[in-house]
Amino acid sequence: MKMIRVLNLDKYLGGDKILDNVNINVEKSSIYGLIGPNGAGKTTLLKNIVDIYRPEKGEVLVLGENIKDNKKIKSQLGYIADYQYFYPNFKVEQMVDFYRNTYPLWEEKKYIKLKRIFKLDEKKKISSLSKGMKTQLSLMLNLSISPKVLILDEPTSGLDPVIKRKVLDIIIDEVSTNETTVLISSHHLGELERICDHIGIIHEGKILLEDSI
């Protein structure tokens, strides 16, 4: 079953064509690595998939439905951006409460388990967290909502090697335990090589190759 389908997608930003007739297919319970250099269009593609951007042409199907304005599908979708946007004056515990009360499939046991791994101080203000800490918080929150589909944009950026390895192990565990479908972008092929089932190579807004590892 294809959990994510991107069909003939074009996207312009500031008059420039960023994505050019992009097609990708992500199978259920797989880890799909989107590989490409900085500026290739990875982030723009992921933002179209989660409905932050709207394409000029084409469509995005998640769980078999068009993602556009689809609240039901979005409640089953986790998204970890390349840069984390949180309410800066919130404490970590307030952000956790916000997710806990917003997502119907929030899993408290999973959150407690992740909290033990990452050891973030819940009393800290989000504005005082480093980039790596904000990424860890986003991982904790988006995994705890029990997503069927998880989208990650350069999730290991800003993480030290020990935490980076933990993050990749957590992603593998999420797929094997909960049959989560993962789409993860990176410009480091070696980093994704050991965890991905499939890869798509994007360059200058075009998919050059889509294949099984």
Side-chain angles (χ1 to χ4, degrees):
M1 178 184 176
K2 291 178 173 60
M3 298 292 275
I4 302 172
R5 295 187 71 200
V6 176
L7 304 169
N8 307 316
L9 193 136
D10 286 355
K11 179 62 188 173
Y12 289 81
L13 291 174
D16 296 322
K17 195 172 192 179
I18 307 300
L19 299 175
D20 185 2
N21 197 40
V22 169
N23 291 271
I24 68 167
N25 296 281
V26 182
E27 301 287 341
K28 183 179 180 181
S29 306
S30 69
I31 302 177
Y32 184 109
L34 184 65
I35 312 291
N38 291 329
K42 299 188 301 296
T43 294
T44 302
L45 177 54
L46 297 190
K47 285 184 175 180
N48 275 271
I49 291 172
V50 299
D51 200 32
I52 293 173
Y53 288 163
R54 298 281 169 83
E56 276 68 38
K57 190 192 88 173
E59 65 177 336
V60 175
L61 304 179
V62 179
L63 303 176
E65 296 186 27
N66 195 303
I67 191 63
K68 185 178 177 182
D69 296 325
N70 195 326
K71 291 182 180 178
K72 181 186 81 173
I73 297 299
K74 288 180 184 179
S75 71
Q76 303 172 72
L77 181 66
Y79 173 53
I80 296 162
D82 57 334
Y83 186 82
Q84 311 307 320
Y85 298 96
F86 293 120
Y87 298 114
N89 292 323
F90 269 32
K91 292 180 179 177
V92 170
E93 61 186 358
Q94 290 172 303
M95 204 68 225
V96 172
D97 278 338
F98 177 80
Y99 269 70
R100 188 182 278 130
N101 295 320
T102 301
Y103 287 90
L105 298 177
W106 175 270
E107 199 175 319
E108 191 66 23
K109 284 183 180 177
K110 187 182 283 188
Y111 173 71
I112 291 168
K113 178 184 173 183
L114 291 167
K115 190 168 68 168
R116 290 195 191 107
I117 293 170
F118 291 118
K119 300 180 174 66
L120 283 183
D121 184 351
E122 289 190 313
K123 300 297 180 185
K124 272 194 169 186
K125 270 196 171 185
I126 289 174
S127 58
S128 71
L129 300 180
S130 67
K131 183 179 188 293
M133 287 177 177
K134 287 177 183 175
T135 299
Q136 291 172 56
L137 174 58
S138 188
L139 278 161
M140 288 164 62
L141 295 172
N142 281 279
L143 287 169
S144 297
I145 66 173
S146 305
K148 289 188 177 176
V149 174
L150 183 62
I151 311 287
L152 305 106
D153 192 359
E154 302 275 3
T156 58
S157 176
L159 300 180
D160 68 58
V162 174
I163 295 293
K164 189 181 291 188
R165 187 171 185 85
K166 283 182 182 178
V167 166
L168 295 177
D169 287 343
I170 287 167
I171 292 167
I172 293 168
D173 183 61
E174 188 68 18
V175 174
S176 63
T177 306
N178 301 308
E179 298 189 331
T180 306
T181 301
V182 175
L183 172 56
I184 179 171
S185 82
S186 179
H187 58 278
H188 296 299
L189 177 59
E191 194 170 271
L192 298 189
E193 221 170 10
R194 77 177 182 91
I195 69 166
C196 291
D197 308 298
H198 297 80
I199 60 162
I201 296 176
I202 186 169
H203 181 65
E204 295 181 349
K206 295 181 180 181
I207 297 293
L208 303 183
L209 172 72
E210 193 178 35
D211 209 347
S212 166
I213 284 186

